[in-house]
Amino acid sequence: MTDFTPPIRDLRFLIHDVIGLQTVAELPGFGETSPDLVDAILEEAGKLAKGVLAPLNRIGDQEGSVLDDNGTVRTPTGWKDAYEKFCEGGWQGISAPEKEGGMGLPLLLGAAVGEMWHSANMAFALCPMLTSGAIELLTIHGTDEQRALYLSRMISGEWTGTMNLTEPQAGSDLSKVRSMATPVGDGTYRITGQKIFITYGDHEMTDNIVHLVLARTPDAPNGVKGISLFIVPKFIVDTNGKIGPRNDVKCISLEHKLGIHASPTAVLSFGDKGGATGYLVGEEGHGLACMFTMMNNARLAVGQQGVAISERAYQQAVAYARDRKQGKSPTTGQDDAIIHHGDVQRMLIRMRATTEAARALSLYAAAQLDIAHHHENGNTRKSAQSRADILIPMVKGWSTDLGVENASLGIQVHGGMGFIEETGAAQHLRDARIAPIYEGTNGIQALDLIGRKLLRDNGVAMHILIDEIRGALIGDFTDADVTHTAKTLGQAVNQLETTTNDILARCANGAELAQSVASPYLRQASICVAGWLMLRSLQKLANINDNDGFAASKRLNCNFFFGQVVPEAQFMASQIANTKDACLHETTPLF
Amino acid sequence: MTDFTPPIRDLRFLIHDVIGLQTVAELPGFGETSPDLVDAILEEAGKLAKGVLAPLNRIGDQEGSVLDDNGTVRTPTGWKDAYEKFCEGGWQGISAPEKEGGMGLPLLLGAAVGEMWHSANMAFALCPMLTSGAIELLTIHGTDEQRALYLSRMISGEWTGTMNLTEPQAGSDLSKVRSMATPVGDGTYRITGQKIFITYGDHEMTDNIVHLVLARTPDAPNGVKGISLFIVPKFIVDTNGKIGPRNDVKCISLEHKLGIHASPTAVLSFGDKGGATGYLVGEEGHGLACMFTMMNNARLAVGQQGVAISERAYQQAVAYARDRKQGKSPTTGQDDAIIHHGDVQRMLIRMRATTEAARALSLYAAAQLDIAHHHENGNTRKSAQSRADILIPMVKGWSTDLGVENASLGIQVHGGMGFIEETGAAQHLRDARIAPIYEGTNGIQALDLIGRKLLRDNGVAMHILIDEIRGALIGDFTDADVTHTAKTLGQAVNQLETTTNDILARCANGAELAQSVASPYLRQASICVAGWLMLRSLQKLANINDNDGFAASKRLNCNFFFGQVVPEAQFMASQIANTKDACLHETTPLF
């Protein structure tokens, strides 16, 4: 496995030039986010990612986290030390509120830094990622006491957090949650049940773990409205945060997974000795609504895993292609590195161009979330929120699909060596494969986009986005690549509008048809929106003094994206147009 | 992991109705290949695949083959018994000549049976697959003595065969082979060197292993013309085939791979004690030419692995989707199996439709090889050979890419359970991932198609194929689906012709450009040719009494293929048209 080089040059370009730092720096509370601070944060995070986390990536894959005979989950060699360094840097709290002990920096920056953690070591980075979700949830829904007790300790990294949603019968469909929460009478609840797929559900890196658990109160209505949210700490703590007795929750097994071996995926059993003590968060029956408040950030983070693995897989593939000699150069007749072979270049540039496009999309979405959360003008907040609502399923769905595709291309570039585990290329595919599944499968993302985000507002938010993209295509461009690109994007956006209107018309009364076209629609829309940001990137290159070749590389990648990736949007549009009704009827045999 | 159900219904339909058994049964020597015999063979092979090989697939993945401290390669539990049963059935020799002890059946049937072996247990089936290559090679190039000594024992399965091509510095580029073969003076050679990635390079299932080894004779010219081919048996045998002393070749390690764990991928060292005894096959300097004679069959077989894994992954996914309940049915309000969800159906039908299309393509190619090898008319043989030459890179490249894509979709259908190794879905992706790499990477396949098969004959063979497809589109079809499909295919074929002419014109003087467009061209052409066979399938449905729902399912899959898969050909054509010159110049930075 090759070293990891943090993609700071591209992150800086996207934040400063393409997204525009001022769009978030001008928000209340973010005034100190100067360009210099951003650069310093990226540099420092990059050092930790490269120097501490990345070297543990392969070790983590080989050793995995293990549940020993004492019921203790052992993380791989080096994990605890790395976690301490991570906490020393204050990184867990990068986007958490200052008043709770966080750095209070924009999500835009937190997202940029988060991508580097995932590139360096996705299995490690899952721990702070889950804790961030718990932090966000308690920041909004926790009582003063809950925040005082748990929040600052999670922001510092002293304790980690988990999300306990899934049960064997309740995955995408959380209405099927059966875990019970019975009021004890003293304000606490007794939690019983079994949760599966709990990321970092147990470990020994910290003194305590704050489980956030969905469970059903007695007499609660069926379905999602009967579900409440509870804090269930691994160890009960007193009001000063002093660790007390072990709570009645334990890890009964870890899953044996395709990838992210180092991330302990736990089956947690609550209440084997009568019931774990739980503390209600928010109101009874509002558990799923509470969870929804953190969903956008969590899905953004998972989308970034797709970007992150694409980046890492690319770096590894390009290093191999530079080094590996096969065949002769047609010009010199000498042994030639395979990076000079046209088909290898095609694969590498595809990896590079799609990674950069997906990165731009994810950072743009992060900035929209910053505006949605912090802008002083309510209408601006609302517009940004509805923009982010559209973008998030694209970031999560498209980027994680690309993560798998790019990791697979990375293997292909290596030829036979790619299939050998010691090379490290295969790990990226194994790790990447979870991201289209968790935090809402990509099918769920597509249904979210087409259902909640498109059909529910009759396409208003999507049409505003389409119009904004179209506005960027008008102008008297001096750069020939920009002119050509704007024309290509214009065609794709017109097609997106046609497809959108077609779906609005045909799916108004047919949820089944929407289900059948949702995934290609997500991909079509993602390509168009990312294309808009790639066009903007191309336009901003004029400002760059290209002493490091960055602008030449970005131009190449943008042009490749428009020539080789954007035409896929038309392919998706054809799929949608050709879907005449729901794919199948219940009576049609599959084979 | 679910049971494996051999796809005998589809294989029979394709052989009898779509390809037409008579096209091969009328060839000299194949007169006994009656429809009944074909059906009996498929049934018997299906029983072995389902009952013996498939149950070992997961065990093989978990245990793997292991090199023990004594230098012995141990295959997984049950392997040796399964291999014995395989040999008892005479399956190794299904397509080998009768006069050498084989069944002498057409490759069309051998290919259909081979697909089932790979579906059931790809890691197992690799052993007979490699032996088949060795059999074919010695059948054509071996001396009478070599055939008498080795061939019948390989055809019976008493001994297995291996292909020793790759060395650390010589992968796709075999001109870099360094292994040496020094004449001893008694007609034998002393072989020294190291070979890597040798499939079933060592094992204890048989008393002997016949290694076919590429090596360089002293004073041989550089490059491929200096390479010769040798038989190097694991144990030296006397003229009666009696096992003698161990030859100077040993397995020094096994690779730790992403998938096909049960298939021992060996590093073989030749000549640690002075030199292994080798016997020249064919003439000195003709080693690579000899290898080329088996290349079409070997590439066909690897392409079938893609079909096979797609089939297995589909069966597993559809079983899970039928069983797994999430969400409510919009019609009944009851808990609903996810197979009724539109997006899940989309994934399942994509898997099913592409599997059937790729299967049709592979069997059609097999029939062309039968004609090329056995037809009494020389011109017919030549035409069939040039048709097969075009088809083989498509079968190998497209089918194995589909194998990876479909195995990945299979995981996705499973949601979180797909990422858990015990489920078995992940193994299919891990196993499938090698097929685009070995037996010539898919990049090499694409270069073969565009270089050797298209540019070299100035497109003649491809234009003949295009014209033949076009001929199938003319007619007064009574079936509305056929009419619509013929129109869709007509557009795709016109586009293929345009793209082909464009490539012929633009690549005449530019091999670099050809390298950059080769992969999308392979995919575009594959979709069109497979589409032709899907159209023919649709037309043949009229003859079927659909008592088992097969025709309804096939119709669904054909219609899906034309609506959802064929539009990708246009996407590929756009990529090619948008590639203005070679992707990159040596001076362009990649990032």
Side-chain angles (χ1 to χ4, degrees), chain A residues 168-169 171-173 256 258 324 326-327 342-343 350 408 412 419 421 433 436 515 519 553 563-564 575 578 590, chain B residues 168-169 171-173 256 258 324 326-327 342-343 345 408 412 419 421 433 436 515 519 553 563-564 575 578 590:
Chain A
Q169 78 294 345
S172 296
D173 182 1
H256 177 221
L258 174 62
R324 171 72 172 170
Q326 289 287 275
D343 192 62
R350 173 167 293 276
S408 189
Q412 192 68 19
F419 200 64
E421 285 288 1
R433 194 60 195 79
Q515 286 187 7
S519 283
S553 167
Q564 306 296 312
Q575 288 192 9
N578 291 341
L590 272 167
Chain B
Q169 77 294 344
S172 296
D173 182 1
H256 175 222
L258 174 62
R324 172 71 172 170
Q326 290 285 276
D343 192 62
Q345 291 179 346
S408 190
Q412 191 69 20
F419 201 64
E421 285 287 1
R433 193 61 195 79
Q515 286 187 6
S519 283
S553 168
Q564 307 295 313
Q575 288 191 8
N578 291 341
L590 272 168

Side-chain angles (χ1 to χ4, degrees), chain A residues 317-335:
Chain A
V318 80
Y320 184 81
R322 284 198 172 108
D323 189 52
R324 171 72 172 170
K325 291 195 170 39
Q326 289 287 275
K328 304 273 187 210
S329 162
T331 45
T332 68
Q334 298 298 304
D335 285 351

Side-chain angles (χ1 to χ4, degrees), chain B residues 97-120:
Chain B
E98 275 188 288
K99 69 177 162 63
E100 308 283 359
M103 292 193 206
L105 290 168
L107 188 61
L108 173 62
L109 192 52
V113 166
E115 187 206 305
M116 290 194 273
W117 308 144
H118 290 299
S119 273

Side-chain angles (χ1 to χ4, degrees), chain A residues 168-173 176 197 255-260 314 318 322 324-327 329-331 335 339-343 345-346 348-350 352 404 408 411-412 415-417 419-422 426 429-430 433-434 436-437 441-443 512 515-516 519-520 549 552-553 556-557 562-565 567-568 571 574-575 578-579 583-584 586 588-591, chain B residues 168-173 176 197 255-260 314 318 322 324-327 329-331 335 339-343 345-346 348-350 352 404 408 411-412 415-417 419-422 426 429-430 433-434 436-437 441-443 512 515-516 519-520 549 552-553 556-557 562-565 567-568 571 574-575 578-579 583-584 586 588-591:
Chain A
Q169 78 294 345
S172 296
D173 182 1
K176 293 188 160 54
F197 296 162
E255 303 291 354
H256 177 221
K257 308 187 299 295
L258 174 62
I260 52 167
Y314 168 76
V318 80
R322 284 198 172 108
R324 171 72 172 170
K325 291 195 170 39
Q326 289 287 275
S329 162
T331 45
D335 285 351
I339 197 169
H340 297 138
H341 298 192
D343 192 62
Q345 292 178 346
R346 180 190 61 79
L348 289 171
I349 308 180
R350 173 167 293 276
R352 180 95 225 121
V404 174
S408 189
I411 291 177
Q412 192 68 19
M417 289 307 294
F419 200 64
I420 307 300
E421 285 288 1
E422 282 78 358
L429 178 62
R430 291 189 288 97
R433 194 60 195 79
I434 187 57
I437 295 173
T441 66
N442 285 0
E512 286 191 23
Q515 286 187 7
S516 301
S519 283
S553 167
L556 183 81
N557 298 331
F562 283 96
Q564 306 296 312
V565 181
E568 195 187 3
F571 170 35
S574 299
Q575 288 192 9
N578 291 341
T579 305
C583 270
L584 267 187
E586 301 200 7
T588 316
L590 272 167
F591 73 116
Chain B
Q169 77 294 344
S172 296
D173 182 1
K176 293 189 160 54
F197 297 162
E255 303 292 354
H256 175 222
K257 308 187 298 296
L258 174 62
I260 51 167
Y314 168 76
V318 80
R322 284 198 171 108
R324 172 71 172 170
K325 292 197 169 37
Q326 290 285 276
S329 162
T331 45
D335 285 352
I339 198 170
H340 297 139
H341 297 192
D343 192 62
Q345 291 179 346
R346 179 191 61 82
L348 289 172
I349 307 179
R350 173 167 294 277
R352 181 95 224 119
V404 174
S408 190
I411 291 178
Q412 191 69 20
M417 289 307 294
F419 201 64
I420 307 300
E421 285 287 1
E422 282 78 359
L429 178 61
R430 291 189 288 96
R433 193 61 195 79
I434 188 58
I437 295 173
T441 66
N442 286 1
E512 287 192 23
Q515 286 187 6
S516 301
S519 283
S553 168
L556 183 82
N557 298 330
F562 283 94
Q564 307 295 313
V565 181
E568 195 186 3
F571 170 35
S574 298
Q575 288 191 8
N578 291 341
T579 305
C583 271
L584 267 187
E586 301 201 7
T588 315
L590 272 168
F591 72 117

